[in-house]
Amino acid sequence: MTPEETHTWLQIQHRQMLALEKMAANLERMAIALDRLSPRTAPNYQFPLEQFKNFDWSAIGATVEKSDQYGAAIVSWGGQQFTRRSPTNKFDPAIWFSRCTGKAEDGSNAYERLITFKPLSKTEVDPLPDKVRRLVDSF
């Protein structure tokens, strides 16, 4: 390739990159607009309690809006804000992020959870049945 051809090729590549960046920005704006038009239900992801302090919120598409000495306090996801909660009762320790979605039929507040952090070590797992174990062992 001559220097002139190389220069022309680089200009074409640069224009293509700019076009792709514009397309990506427009797609992101469209996705946000679609989420606002048809809001999704929060997924209630489950993670070990030990991961809360250093959790990567971008991994679930959330952004920390406010934090304190304990970690994230308010996070945004899907155009909605979720507040940190934790029980002060006899149940197992847990941290979750939820938001009020309106009123339930009985008049109480209805909530949805974005994510729950709880001790997974207390979760009991059933052994695999023989027929499943044999299939797994054959791989």
Side-chain angles (χ1 to χ4, degrees), residues 20-36 63:
L20 287 171
E21 288 173 353
K22 283 182 183 180
M23 290 167 61
N26 285 332
L27 283 171
E28 190 172 338
R29 280 194 295 277
M30 288 169 59
I32 290 169
L34 284 173
D35 275 348
R36 290 191 178 135
T63 304

Side-chain angles (χ1 to χ4, degrees), residues 58-117:
S58 66
I60 64 166
T63 304
V64 176
E65 300 295 335
K66 186 176 180 183
S67 58
D68 58 19
Q69 70 271 24
Y70 306 110
I74 299 174
V75 298
S76 291
W77 179 86
Q80 303 292 330
Q81 287 192 338
F82 294 81
T83 304
R84 182 182 67 214
R85 307 275 186 223
S86 188
T88 55
N89 54 30
K90 64 181 180 177
F91 297 107
D92 287 338
I95 299 170
W96 64 88
F97 286 76
S98 63
R99 73 180 192 93
C100 183
T101 58
K103 296 287 184 183
E105 288 182 16
D106 65 359
S108 63
N109 288 339
Y111 291 90
E112 68 175 358
R113 286 188 187 192
L114 172 63
I115 189 168
T116 301
F117 297 91

Side-chain angles (χ1 to χ4, degrees), residues 51-64:
Q51 289 186 15
F52 169 69
K53 187 76 171 176
N54 298 309
F55 188 71
D56 177 13
W57 292 94
S58 66
I60 64 166
T63 304
V64 176

Side-chain angles (χ1 to χ4, degrees), residues 111-132:
Y111 291 90
E112 68 175 358
R113 286 188 187 192
L114 172 63
I115 189 168
T116 301
F117 297 91
K118 62 183 181 180
L120 296 182
S121 59
K122 293 184 178 185
T123 305
E124 293 187 26
V125 178
D126 293 332
L128 292 175
D130 287 339
K131 64 182 179 181
V132 175

